[in-house]
Amino acid sequence: QVQLVESGGGLVQPGGSLRLSCAASGSIFSIYVMAWYRQAPGKQRELVATISSGHSTKYADSVKGRFTISRDNAKNTLYLQMNSLKPEDTAVYYCKAERNPYIYWGQGTQVTVSS
């Protein structure tokens, strides 16, 4: 069992930056594949970025070059550094932990990009 708690969301102007954190507890964090997803109002949840236990990363085309996913296994924490934010990045951001066959989700944190 893994418990995930996101933080760091908020209101930011276009072009601004935010860093999201996802604190994990309850299991061996380092063995899980971790990911950030987001869900905008009226839209399906979409994958933003993933990071493997070996720190390999993948990004959605819409965030490449602007977002950076990272993990600190010693602190059991996942991060998402978001730069050059756009209004279309507005969504609830969720972290996910996965190790077949188990999947765990956090409760989400709201990110709003608006002037």
Side-chain angles (χ1 to χ4, degrees), residues 7-98:
S7 61
L11 174 64
V12 63
Q13 292 187 342
S17 298
L18 280 176
R19 189 175 83 154
L20 305 183
S21 298
C22 173
S25 62
S27 188
I28 305 173
F29 175 75
S30 62
I31 66 175
Y32 286 84
V33 175
M34 301 297 298
W36 287 100
Y37 282 72
R38 66 186 181 187
Q39 188 167 18
K43 295 187 177 182
Q44 288 189 329
R45 192 172 296 189
E46 63 175 0
L47 177 65
V48 175
T50 65
I51 184 166
S52 71
S53 57
H55 295 254
S56 295
T57 59
K58 293 182 181 179
Y59 296 92
D61 287 344
S62 59
V63 306
K64 279 181 183 177
R66 300 189 298 123
F67 291 11
T68 302
I69 188 171
S70 62
R71 65 193 296 166
D72 186 336
N73 290 336
K75 295 183 178 180
N76 286 358
T77 304
L78 175 72
Y79 301 101
L80 185 68
Q81 178 66 44
M82 304 186 295
N83 299 328
S84 302
L85 282 161
K86 305 175 181 180
E88 51 263 43
D89 294 317
T90 295
V92 177
Y93 284 71
Y94 299 89
C95 67
K96 185 183 84 169
E98 182 172 359

